[in-house]
Amino acid sequence: MTNNGITSAARLNRPLLQELLSAYGPVGQEDAVRDICRRELEPLVDEVWIDEAGNLVGLVRGTGEDDDLGPIRVMAHLDELSMLVKRVESDGSLHVTQLGTMYPGNFGLGPVAVLGNHQVIPGVLTLGSEHTTQESQRIWETKPDQGDKSLDWSHVYVFTGRTTEELTAAGVRPGTRVCVDGSKRLLFEVGKFLGCYFMDDRACLTAMLETARLLCEGERRPARDIYFVGTVSEEIGGIGGTYASRTLPGEITLALEVGPTEQEYSTSVTGGPIVGYSDQQSIYDKSVADRLMDIATELGFSPQAAVLGAFESDASHSVSAGQTARSGLLCLPTLSTHGYEVVAVDAIPAMSEVLLTFLLDTRIPGSRR
């Protein structure tokens, strides 16, 4: 074990993380991210498939040596926050709204990719000129020394430089997804930290895939079946995760997420893995949370217990909908969640180590429904 608590087997697959961050995966259009994860997962598991909801599922079969050890479902979501075209204006500009909970300030003004059905169109998310007076009411009211309103979706639009006919030919219409452009999706080093949009949940997908690799290449096979699930539509209510909890065997759903690091939760981006005990959607199973805390402590990671507000996950949605009996939440400590997110370089392999030990632990009972 190294000084930071990570065994020599665990690693951060940085090229994979960058590939996942660069892939567009708005809600309902997660194909590119799912394809990458399937490519990586397929050689590591016994079986892989895409379910009716669009979730990617990889099964690692357990030894079956203990009938009291039912399957565990591990979930990290494929989708990302994005924008949705509400209408196409006569000048070719696009009026957009949020797809998932976020605001224009979270993304910042700048380049976007408009995912037309036939062509990806470059665009610019813009407010307009700051050199305006009250006559330009939409802009004026956002000025801190004037109208003093916070920037919202009614204030911004997407400039495309295209005619409506060109946009129609590209397959752009109401319902088209608009994503932060790839030029703004490059990993940025800040000392021992990495920053980028959409660490939520691409960093957790990277950790989940690393855990699958460790299971595949390790000498121990889990006693129970493990389902690794890349879920869809988490950002709009845990839709894919709830479906997977209902249709896959087992009674425990464990979500991998980014975790907010703020004073109100006594969490820090420099600390160890965050273990959730509740969020605004539901409480998490105490025995599962306690075991995650114990494992992270035993590995030397100084875990952070948290009672979260304004937060939801695939696991809490699943348990609140009655589709799983028990739930757990393991988080990467993350600065500026749902914005330009920052995580420690060591945090992703640390999550993999905790998850691996949890999945191999025979002290976590669960029936085989």
Side-chain angles (χ1 to χ4, degrees):
M1 187 174 288
T2 62
N3 291 333
N4 60 13
I6 301 173
T7 67
S8 58
R11 59 181 172 82
L12 168 58
N13 189 338
R14 184 164 172 165
L16 174 60
L17 175 59
Q18 181 60 78
E19 186 180 11
L20 288 168
L21 290 167
S22 297
Y24 300 131
V27 172
Q29 204 168 329
E30 300 95 339
D31 311 62
V33 182
R34 183 172 53 226
D35 289 346
I36 295 168
C37 290
R38 181 167 191 165
R39 181 198 70 205
E40 296 294 316
L41 191 60
E42 203 151 21
L44 306 175
V45 297
D46 297 305
E47 189 177 350
V48 65
W49 67 93
I50 298 172
D51 70 15
E52 294 300 320
N55 300 309
L56 174 67
V57 184
L59 168 62
V60 175
R61 294 192 181 89
T63 61
E65 61 192 40
D66 189 338
D67 289 338
D68 290 333
L69 297 177
I72 292 179
R73 302 176 291 257
V74 181
M75 300 185 181
H77 63 86
L78 304 168
D79 58 314
E80 67 186 54
L81 297 168
S82 66
M83 293 157 275
L84 193 67
V85 175
K86 188 172 182 179
R87 64 178 178 270
V88 179
E89 304 288 7
S90 59
D91 63 355
S93 64
L94 307 177
H95 182 79
V96 293
T97 188
Q98 62 185 341
L99 186 53
T101 304
M102 46 75 64
Y103 305 97
N106 296 67
F107 284 168
L109 305 180
V112 296
V114 183
L115 307 187
N117 286 349
H118 311 304
Q119 184 183 354
V120 176
I121 298 291
V124 175
L125 183 67
T126 184
L127 168 66
S129 178
E130 285 291 329
H131 297 89
T132 47
T133 66
Q134 191 170 357
E135 184 176 344
S136 300
Q137 179 69 24
R138 176 182 55 80
I139 303 171
W140 180 86
E141 65 183 16
T142 67
K143 294 185 178 183
D145 59 340
Q146 301 292 338
D148 204 24
K149 284 191 177 182
S150 59
L151 190 68
D152 208 345
W153 294 107
S154 61
H155 300 120
V156 297
Y157 64 95
V158 172
F159 173 80
T160 67
R162 306 296 179 99
T163 65
T164 56
E165 292 78 13
E166 289 172 324
L167 292 173
T168 297
V172 176
R173 56 179 177 246
T176 294
R177 274 64 167 167
V178 179
C179 297
V180 171
D181 186 71
S183 61
K184 296 178 69 175
R185 292 169 173 255
L186 299 178
L187 282 167
F188 182 72
E189 293 189 15
V190 188
K192 296 181 179 179
F193 299 85
L194 292 173
C196 197
Y197 291 110
F198 312 120
M199 292 292 193
D200 178 15
D201 211 19
R202 309 300 164 72
C204 297
L205 285 168
T206 303
M208 184 175 76
L209 291 167
E210 174 67 2
T211 304
R213 183 188 71 84
L214 294 172
L215 269 180
C216 177
E217 297 178 0
E219 296 179 357
R220 292 181 60 189
R221 194 169 186 86
R224 67 207 324 150
D225 290 347
I226 307 297
Y227 291 92
F228 292 107
V229 189
T231 65
V232 297
S233 303
E234 189 277 340
E235 294 290 4
I236 58 169
I239 294 172
T242 302
Y243 178 85
S245 290
R246 178 174 68 83
T247 55
L248 293 174
E251 65 176 38
I252 298 175
T253 295
L254 175 65
L256 307 180
E257 270 289 357
V258 294
T261 53
E262 295 295 341
Q263 184 177 358
E264 71 169 284
Y265 305 128
S266 297
T267 53
S268 169
V269 73
T270 61
I274 295 173
V275 176
Y277 277 80
S278 74
D279 63 23
Q280 72 174 25
Q281 190 70 24
S282 182
I283 60 170
Y284 294 96
D285 186 272
K286 186 176 184 298
S287 63
V288 171
D290 286 346
R291 190 67 198 118
L292 287 168
M293 288 290 294
D294 290 345
I295 287 170
T297 300
E298 292 162 7
L299 291 173
F301 290 130
S302 301
Q304 307 177 81
V307 173
L308 301 172
F311 187 96
E312 304 164 1
S313 75
D314 280 324
S316 62
H317 277 289
S318 294
V319 77
S320 68
Q323 302 303 329
T324 187
R326 302 164 67 192
S327 62
L329 175 66
L330 180 63
C331 296
L332 294 171
T334 306
L335 182 68
S336 188
T337 54
H338 277 208
Y340 191 85
E341 295 162 329
V342 177
V343 302
V345 172
D346 286 346
I348 297 173
M351 171 179 270
S352 299
E353 283 293 327
V354 173
L355 178 58
L356 175 68
T357 306
F358 180 83
L359 296 178
L360 291 172
D361 194 342
T362 57
R363 287 173 285 182
I364 305 165
S367 66
R368 296 177 175 275
R369 66 174 173 85

